[in-house]
Amino acid sequence: MKLAFLFFCLAVSTNSKPLSLASVPQEIPVQESTRLYFLTSGPEAELKGFTVKSEKNNIDSNVFAYSVPETDGSLSPLTINVNDTLIVTRPEGSTSAVKLYQDRITRSLNVFPVFEKSSIGFKSGKNVFFAVEKPNGKILTIQNLKVDPQNNGYVRAYSGVPGDLIPQPYMFFNSDVYQNVSFYQQLDIRIDEFSMDPVFTGVSYTVSFGQVTTTLQSSGLIMTPNYPLTLDLSDITFNINRVGDESVSLHMNPFFYRDHVYTTFITVNFGFGIQQENSFPSQLDGRMNAAGTMNSVEVRSSGAYAIQYYTNSTSTNAVGTTLAGQGTTPSIITTTGSSSFIHTCLSFAVVFVSLLIG
Ligand SMILES: *[C@@H]1O[C@H](CO)[C@@H](O)[C@H](O)[C@H]1NC(C)=O
Ligand SMILES: *[C@@H]1O[C@H](CO)[C@@H](O)[C@H](O)[C@H]1NC(C)=O
Ligand SMILES: *[C@@H]1O[C@H](CO)[C@@H](O)[C@H](O)[C@H]1NC(C)=O
């Protein structure tokens, strides 16, 4: 039941020189019941000269015919019925990047190219997204994500797409980790391809390009670029959005890449030099809770992370509502057992915080 898959890059980015190979036909073996999706933002004239042929399948067409999304933003696939060799010919002088994605296993698959001006809504089924443009300074985002955990609505999101091998699609968001949160303002997705599980009830969202999060909202997700493969050092401070001197609770659920060993430090700054530092080894999916009049959170890491979070701040620029949990005694919960080191840090921090606000 392996995924039939081939991820084939017909060309590199537009700023590279055209390869002399470019106009030589590419021969791609294709199997029956495979759906082919052409992902590109290249100009129409060029894509029309980009031919696609399979004699046994009576296909004699061009890439343009398969690269223009339907009104819901998804692509109609080119379906292969008979085993054959597909011959793709790039026109002379063409430099457009064209990716070919193949799948023949995933049920109810929706493939979406994301353009700078795209705003793609949720569609029932397994949804996969490919950035086909790279607008300056913008990243892929999921905005206004609504889930209905009470009615079994859930969302799981993965880096990469079905069929990826190195690494395989890797989870970066799971609405189940916070049963009481039903709305997320923005998930930062600092990768070019991701997928989302099918969901049945009460889910909606918008996928588009947006700005990187610098101030934590009432709920969302932050991520290192190129998750989960990053091995770069990073040190980023996020502001906390809150009203005046209100005391807030902050809940964070980091996802790390378990195949690499590294440590991530999350430091909550409360002002007056008071900090709560928590360290997380990449082998555990730790959780962090903090409460008080906090100003910012610093995340330092030598590897990849995606952190799903929410606060109970009354300050929000959101549409929709966040059903935040009650302010509870901060504690550390990990799926694989908690680390006593982290727990100790947190307990001290809680004492400090209570002194500060008490
Ligand atoms: C098509 O190719 C696949 C994989 O090589 C093979 O298992 C299948 O039997 C082939 N189908 C036909 C009709 O030859
Ligand atoms: C979630 O909400 C329910 C009911 O509103 C409450 O009983 C439960 O303790 C909450 N859970 C968390 C983790 O806040
Ligand atoms: C948020 O949580 C903090 C800490 O538990 C609490 O003091 C505050 O009253 C809560 N705010 C709201 C709006 O529930």
Side-chain angles (χ1 to χ4, degrees):
M1 48 135 313
K2 301 294 154 262
L3 293 169
F5 156 85
L6 174 70
F7 193 65
F8 189 83
C9 196
L10 291 172
V12 270
S13 69
T14 41
N15 28 13
S16 63
K17 287 186 193 122
L19 301 168
S20 52
L21 267 180
S23 51
V24 172
Q26 305 266 345
E27 298 195 357
I28 304 162
V30 285
Q31 244 189 80
E32 56 195 356
S33 347
T34 299
R35 296 172 305 262
L36 307 175
Y37 301 87
F38 292 91
L39 297 143
T40 179
S41 62
E44 176 174 344
E46 205 172 303
L47 298 177
K48 279 188 167 157
F50 219 121
T51 62
V52 182
K53 291 184 181 161
S54 159
E55 218 167 281
K56 291 185 189 158
N57 288 284
N58 290 320
I59 295 165
D60 183 355
S61 188
N62 58 69
V63 166
F64 183 72
Y66 293 96
S67 63
V68 178
E70 303 288 305
T71 48
D72 66 7
S74 66
L75 289 180
S76 305
L78 172 58
T79 306
I80 301 296
N81 299 310
V82 185
N83 290 350
D84 194 14
T85 299
L86 188 76
I87 299 173
V88 181
T89 310
R90 172 184 283 280
E92 201 79 48
S94 147
T95 53
S96 295
V98 176
K99 280 179 176 178
L100 172 59
Y101 177 55
Q102 299 195 29
D103 185 281
R104 68 186 174 95
I105 298 295
T106 315
R107 282 197 196 162
S108 342
L109 180 73
N110 305 307
V111 174
F112 298 95
V114 190
F115 299 88
E116 178 168 11
K117 297 207 165 76
S118 291
S119 175
I120 299 164
F122 159 74
K123 188 172 175 183
S124 159
K126 175 106 183 166
N127 291 339
V128 305
F129 300 88
F130 291 87
V132 292
E133 292 181 310
K134 283 191 188 291
N136 226 348
K138 290 188 178 170
I139 57 162
L140 286 181
T141 61
I142 297 173
Q143 293 183 337
N144 299 329
L145 168 63
K146 290 182 189 159
V147 275
D148 187 0
Q150 268 76 32
N151 289 308
N152 301 321
Y154 69 84
V155 175
R156 287 177 201 141
Y158 305 83
S159 62
V161 294
D164 276 350
L165 296 177
I166 307 170
Q168 293 180 354
Y170 204 82
M171 193 190 288
F172 64 80
F173 177 87
N174 180 358
S175 62
D176 285 346
V177 304
Y178 293 130
Q179 283 289 316
N180 287 12
V181 181
S182 61
F183 177 78
Y184 293 84
Q185 282 146 321
Q186 177 169 311
L187 315 188
D188 284 14
I189 304 173
R190 306 183 69 170
I191 44 183
D192 292 338
E193 299 160 25
F194 71 100
S195 47
M196 296 178 79
D197 268 348
V199 277
F200 303 101
T201 47
V203 172
S204 64
Y205 54 77
T206 303
V207 172
S208 58
F209 282 99
Q211 301 295 333
V212 176
T213 297
T214 52
T215 297
L216 300 188
Q217 303 299 319
S218 64
S219 47
L221 178 104
I222 51 181
M223 181 190 277
T224 43
N226 205 24
Y227 178 89
L229 291 184
T230 327
L231 275 174
D232 294 339
L233 292 172
S234 62
D235 185 348
I236 303 171
T237 297
F238 300 90
N239 298 316
I240 308 258
N241 199 13
R242 63 187 176 93
V243 178
D245 271 349
E246 79 172 338
S247 177
V248 296
S249 64
L250 169 67
H251 309 265
M252 289 186 140
N253 183 94
F255 296 89
F256 303 115
Y257 188 43
R258 288 174 189 233
D259 287 11
H260 292 163
V261 177
Y262 56 93
T263 306
T264 301
F265 298 91
I266 302 180
T267 307
V268 183
N269 297 306
F270 295 94
F272 306 102
I274 295 171
Q275 294 184 326
Q276 165 185 328
E277 182 171 270
N278 310 274
S279 83
F280 296 93
S282 56
Q283 282 82 12
L284 294 176
D285 284 338
R287 279 202 197 175
M288 188 205 78
N289 299 316
T293 51
M294 59 188 79
N295 299 323
S296 62
V297 185
E298 179 183 1
V299 185
R300 277 183 296 134
S301 183
S302 46
Y305 61 79
I307 301 176
Q308 193 174 328
Y309 71 86
Y310 74 91
T311 78
N312 73 341
S313 172
T314 54
S315 162
T316 167
N317 49 15
V319 278
T321 52
T322 299
L323 297 175
Q326 308 298 317
T328 48
T329 311
S331 61
I332 290 288
I333 309 150
T334 61
T335 48
T336 50
S338 61
S339 142
S340 59
F341 168 62
I342 296 169
H343 204 279
T344 310
C345 286
L346 193 57
S347 310
F348 280 122
V350 170
V351 173
F352 286 139
V353 177
S354 330
L355 287 176
L356 187 66
I357 60 180

